[in-house]
Coordinates of all heavy atoms in Angstrom, one line a residue:
D61 N -4.9 9.6 -0.8 CA -4.7 10.9 -1.5 C -4.1 10.8 -2.8 O -4.1 11.7 -3.6 CB -3.9 11.8 -0.6 CG -2.5 11.1 -0.3 OD1 -2.5 10.0 0.1 OD2 -1.5 11.8 -0.4
L62 N -3.5 9.6 -3.1 CA -2.8 9.4 -4.4 C -3.7 8.7 -5.4 O -3.3 8.5 -6.6 CB -1.5 8.6 -4.2 CG -0.5 9.2 -3.3 CD1 0.7 8.3 -3.2 CD2 -0.1 10.6 -3.7
A63 N -4.8 8.2 -5.0 CA -5.7 7.4 -5.8 C -7.0 8.2 -6.2 O -7.3 9.2 -5.5 CB -6.2 6.1 -5.1
D64 N -7.6 7.8 -7.2 CA -8.9 8.3 -7.7 C -9.9 8.1 -6.6 O -10.3 7.0 -6.3 CB -9.3 7.7 -9.0 CG -10.5 8.4 -9.6 OD1 -11.6 8.4 -9.0 OD2 -10.5 8.9 -10.7
K65 N -10.5 9.2 -6.1 CA -11.4 9.1 -5.0 C -12.7 8.2 -5.3 O -13.1 7.4 -4.5 CB -11.9 10.5 -4.5 CG -12.7 10.5 -3.3 CD -13.0 11.9 -2.8 CE -13.8 11.9 -1.5 NZ -14.0 13.3 -1.0
A66 N -13.2 8.4 -6.5 CA -14.4 7.6 -7.0 C -14.1 6.1 -7.0 O -14.9 5.3 -6.7 CB -14.9 8.2 -8.3
V67 N -12.9 5.9 -7.6 CA -12.5 4.5 -7.8 C -12.3 3.8 -6.4 O -12.6 2.7 -6.2 CB -11.2 4.3 -8.6 CG1 -10.7 2.9 -8.7 CG2 -11.5 4.9 -10.0
S68 N -11.7 4.5 -5.4 CA -11.5 4.0 -4.1 C -12.8 3.7 -3.5 O -13.0 2.7 -2.7 CB -10.7 5.0 -3.2 OG -9.4 5.2 -3.7
A69 N -13.9 4.5 -3.7 CA -15.2 4.2 -3.2 C -15.8 2.9 -3.8 O -16.4 2.1 -3.1 CB -16.2 5.3 -3.4
Q70 N -15.4 2.7 -5.0 CA -15.9 1.4 -5.7 C -15.2 0.2 -5.0 O -15.8 -0.8 -4.8 CB -15.6 1.5 -7.2 CG -16.4 2.5 -7.9 CD -15.9 2.6 -9.4 OE1 -15.2 1.8 -9.9 NE2 -16.3 3.7 -10.1
W71 N -13.9 0.4 -4.7 CA -13.1 -0.7 -4.1 C -13.7 -1.0 -2.7 O -13.8 -2.2 -2.3 CB -11.6 -0.3 -4.1 CG -10.9 -0.7 -5.3 CD1 -10.3 0.2 -6.2 CD2 -10.7 -2.0 -5.9 NE1 -9.7 -0.5 -7.2 CE2 -10.0 -1.8 -7.1 CE3 -11.1 -3.3 -5.5 CZ2 -9.6 -2.9 -7.8 CZ3 -10.7 -4.4 -6.2 CH2 -9.9 -4.2 -7.4
E72 N -14.0 0.1 -1.9 CA -14.6 -0.2 -0.6 C -15.8 -1.0 -0.7 O -16.1 -1.9 0.1 CB -14.8 1.1 0.1 CG -13.5 1.8 0.6 CD -13.8 2.8 1.8 OE1 -14.3 2.3 2.8 OE2 -13.6 4.0 1.7
A73 N -16.7 -0.6 -1.6 CA -18.0 -1.3 -1.8 C -17.7 -2.8 -2.2 O -18.4 -3.7 -1.8 CB -18.8 -0.6 -2.9
Y74 N -16.7 -3.0 -3.1 CA -16.4 -4.3 -3.5 C -15.9 -5.2 -2.4 O -16.4 -6.3 -2.2 CB -15.2 -4.2 -4.6 CG -14.6 -5.5 -5.0 CD1 -15.1 -6.3 -6.0 CD2 -13.4 -5.9 -4.4 CE1 -14.5 -7.5 -6.3 CE2 -12.8 -7.1 -4.7 CZ -13.3 -7.9 -5.7 OH -12.7 -9.1 -6.0
F75 N -15.1 -4.7 -1.6 CA -14.5 -5.5 -0.4 C -15.6 -5.7 0.6 O -15.6 -6.7 1.3 CB -13.3 -4.8 0.2 CG -12.1 -5.0 -0.7 CD1 -11.3 -3.9 -1.1 CD2 -11.6 -6.2 -1.1 CE1 -10.2 -4.0 -1.9 CE2 -10.5 -6.4 -1.8 CZ -9.8 -5.2 -2.2
R76 N -16.4 -4.7 0.8 CA -17.6 -4.9 1.8 C -18.5 -6.0 1.4 O -19.0 -6.8 2.2 CB -18.4 -3.6 2.0 CG -17.6 -2.6 2.9 CD -18.6 -1.5 3.4 NE -19.2 -0.8 2.3 CZ -18.7 0.4 1.7 NH1 -17.6 0.8 2.1 NH2 -19.3 0.9 0.7
R77 N -18.7 -6.2 0.1 CA -19.5 -7.2 -0.4 C -18.9 -8.6 -0.1 O -19.6 -9.7 0.0 CB -19.8 -7.1 -1.9 CG -20.8 -6.0 -2.3 CD -21.3 -6.1 -3.7 NE -20.2 -6.0 -4.7 CZ -19.7 -4.9 -5.2 NH1 -20.3 -3.7 -4.9 NH2 -18.8 -4.8 -6.1
L78 N -17.6 -8.7 0.0 CA -16.9 -9.9 0.3 C -16.8 -10.1 1.8 O -16.2 -11.2 2.2 CB -15.5 -9.8 -0.3 CG -15.4 -9.7 -1.8 CD1 -13.9 -9.7 -2.2 CD2 -16.0 -11.0 -2.4
G79 N -17.4 -9.2 2.6 CA -17.5 -9.5 4.1 C -16.4 -8.8 4.9 O -16.2 -9.0 6.1
F80 N -15.6 -7.8 4.3 CA -14.6 -7.1 5.0 C -15.1 -5.8 5.5 O -16.0 -5.2 4.9 CB -13.3 -6.8 4.1 CG -12.6 -8.1 3.6 CD1 -12.8 -8.6 2.4 CD2 -11.7 -8.7 4.4 CE1 -12.2 -9.7 1.9 CE2 -11.0 -9.8 4.0 CZ -11.3 -10.3 2.8

Side-chain angles (χ1 to χ4, degrees):
D61 58 311
L62 303 179
D64 184 301
K65 188 174 182 179
V67 176
S68 292
Q70 293 172 16
W71 276 114
E72 285 205 62
Y74 169 85
F75 286 124
R76 285 196 299 270
R77 287 195 297 270
L78 296 179
F80 296 100

